[in-house]
Amino acid sequence: MTAVQAANEAVTLPWLVKRASILTWFELPRVVAVCAILLASVAPFAVAVATGQLWLMSIGSLPAALLLTGLARFAAIIARGDRPRVRDAFAVDPVLAVTLVAAGTIAGLLVATPVLQVAGFVVAAIALVLAPYALAYGAVRGKRGLTTWRGAFILVAYRPSWALTVLSMSLIGGFVIAATVGALAVLVPCILAVFSSAVVGRLLDTIDGVAAAPPGQGSR
């Protein structure tokens, strides 16, 4: 086992959550500004929901999906320990955003069809597990488009338990925002994004360490 592998194995998910919270707090003014912009981008989707039309909801969710890709890049800078700028959140990935919306739309269409509901729930579950990793992988590695989904799939397959923990933290974050009537919506999304970036960064370091290790050394 290499030194990098040993260091990453010693890191626990609770430690990463604590570190993400601390790093986010240090950049509070910028974090609040970026999360407020993200919150504003949800408005078209909220209006579309009132219509009950799935195609309108898909279009309305696109601004938020775009800002999510930007938030991931903003958060990756924080996770590295660097100081981000608000404009970093506008370095969006249109292809990833469209695929996020497409995955949600397909899942919604399947769930709305009685005979295909099970398939819809399966698609939704897969998308929910992969999406945080796709966003974080693209931000950490500087990748864009469909490549982010391939990276997410590899990372989830490499350590599924961490992927489920990231998903659980995202769901808990949603409940926290709802419980505070949206008051923490200007902070929690960034903490979750920084946490996801930290998790993905650790996994990538471990995988890179295994790949770089001389034959026979990686299993020690």
Side-chain angles (χ1 to χ4, degrees):
M1 179 179 291
T2 66
V4 171
Q5 287 177 265
N8 286 330
E9 291 294 338
V11 170
T12 62
L13 291 176
W15 183 86
L16 289 177
V17 173
K18 179 180 178 180
R19 184 171 183 272
S21 301
I22 293 173
L23 289 175
T24 304
W25 184 259
F26 286 153
E27 302 295 337
L28 188 58
R30 295 177 180 84
V31 167
V32 170
V34 170
C35 287
I37 295 170
L38 174 64
L39 191 60
S41 72
V42 178
F45 175 73
V47 173
V49 169
T51 67
Q53 298 294 321
L54 185 59
W55 68 274
L56 279 177
M57 286 187 279
S58 298
I59 295 173
S61 63
L62 188 55
L66 284 167
L67 260 296
L68 276 177
T69 65
L71 174 65
R73 295 181 185 276
F74 177 86
I77 296 173
I78 296 178
R80 291 198 304 264
D82 296 331
R83 173 158 290 185
R85 299 163 297 181
V86 172
R87 66 182 181 184
D88 291 323
F90 293 94
V92 299
D93 183 348
V95 175
L96 177 55
V98 169
T99 54
L100 287 171
V101 172
T105 301
I106 292 171
L109 287 171
L110 292 174
V111 170
T113 305
V115 295
L116 298 176
Q117 279 187 342
V118 174
F121 288 126
V122 171
V123 171
I126 293 174
L128 286 172
V129 171
L130 290 177
Y133 270 36
L135 289 164
Y137 176 78
V140 172
R141 276 290 203 242
K143 302 292 185 179
R144 290 177 174 270
L146 299 179
T147 304
T148 59
W149 290 102
R150 181 178 66 85
F153 181 81
I154 293 172
L155 292 175
V156 170
Y158 180 73
R159 187 157 296 178
S161 60
W162 281 35
L164 293 177
T165 299
V166 170
L167 175 59
S168 299
M169 289 297 300
S170 299
L171 295 175
I172 291 172
F175 286 127
V176 169
I177 292 173
T180 58
V181 198
L184 290 181
V186 294
L187 180 61
V188 171
C190 192
I191 293 177
L192 293 173
V194 173
F195 170 64
S196 298
S197 291
V199 169
V200 166
R202 292 286 173 175
L203 290 175
L204 289 172
D205 286 345
T206 301
I207 293 173
D208 291 344
V210 172
Q217 183 176 337
S219 59
R220 292 179 185 175

